Amino acid sequence: MTYKQAIYQELFLEIEATKKAIKHLDYAFEKCKEIGIKNEYNTEELMVWEAFTSRHARLCDILTQKVLNNIILIETQQKGTLTDKANFAVANNFIGTIEDFRTLRNIRNHIAHEYMQEEPNRIFESIFNSYSLLKNFAEKIIFFYETNPIYKIQ
């Protein structure tokens, strides 16, 4: 397998991982919607919220660190910076604005590094409110990939 074929294969696998991650995120979202935002959670409810939190961060990572890396590499033959990824995502209508992209990355970073240090409801609300933004971002990338013939495994 050539280097180019490996990149296309990796992107294919990442798109498949994205599809699975969306399903897992959807399931957790529905469970969290049933629970709602509360002052106190029982252990099971907290586990559901933490699963949703983790799935949100994972999907954001797959999209911004893996999928966009390979799409930009295929498109430009260069690795892109986070700014390049944000600009590419906006230019291709994957996401509305650079600020939306930053919002998703900031939430992801907050989940990964800081959220246990503060009131969990604050991050739960942020994640819950950004669910549609993240899901739409993922679905638009999948559509771009699936409708663009250059992304078929070569």
Side-chain angles (χ1 to χ4, degrees):
M1 181 180 292
T2 67
Y3 176 72
K4 183 178 178 180
Q5 289 170 324
I7 297 299
Y8 281 87
Q9 178 65 26
E10 187 176 314
L11 179 58
F12 170 79
L13 295 172
E14 290 162 356
I15 292 294
E16 292 304 305
T18 298
K19 291 174 184 178
K20 288 179 185 174
I22 290 170
K23 288 179 184 176
H24 294 150
L25 184 71
D26 286 344
Y27 179 82
F29 175 78
E30 291 303 321
K31 292 291 184 186
C32 287
K33 200 161 59 168
E34 290 172 15
I35 295 167
I37 301 290
K38 304 169 150 185
N39 289 330
E40 292 189 33
Y41 301 92
N42 65 38
T43 302
E44 186 176 320
E45 292 169 336
L46 192 55
M47 287 177 61
V48 170
W49 271 105
E50 288 174 349
F52 180 55
T53 301
S54 174
R55 289 170 177 167
H56 191 286
R58 176 165 165 63
L59 181 55
C60 187
D61 274 346
I62 291 169
L63 295 172
T64 63
Q65 299 303 331
K66 295 183 176 190
V67 173
L68 284 177
N69 272 354
N70 281 329
I71 289 176
I72 289 173
L73 186 58
I74 290 166
E75 294 276 336
T76 68
Q77 290 73 48
Q78 296 179 14
K79 290 191 175 189
T81 65
L82 198 57
T83 300
D84 294 332
K85 293 173 200 176
N87 288 330
F88 187 87
V90 170
N92 286 280
N93 296 314
F94 300 157
I95 200 158
T97 66
I98 298 290
E99 190 55 40
D100 289 340
F101 187 92
R102 277 194 202 116
T103 295
L104 292 176
R105 286 300 300 167
N106 287 340
I107 290 170
R108 179 262 171 224
N109 289 340
H110 209 73
I111 292 166
H113 303 294
E114 302 169 20
Y115 97 86
M116 292 308 285
Q117 298 173 2
E118 66 176 65
E119 175 61 32
N121 277 345
R122 186 169 165 225
I123 193 67
F124 292 165
E125 286 178 26
S126 294
I127 294 164
F128 194 80
N129 292 335
S130 67
Y131 161 80
S132 293
L133 178 64
L134 181 59
K135 184 175 178 180
N136 289 336
F137 181 37
E139 289 173 341
K140 287 178 180 180
I141 290 174
I142 291 168
F143 180 80
F144 175 83
Y145 171 83
E146 290 181 341
T147 59
N148 192 330
I150 72 162
Y151 292 106
K152 300 304 175 210
I153 296 176
Q154 311 246 329

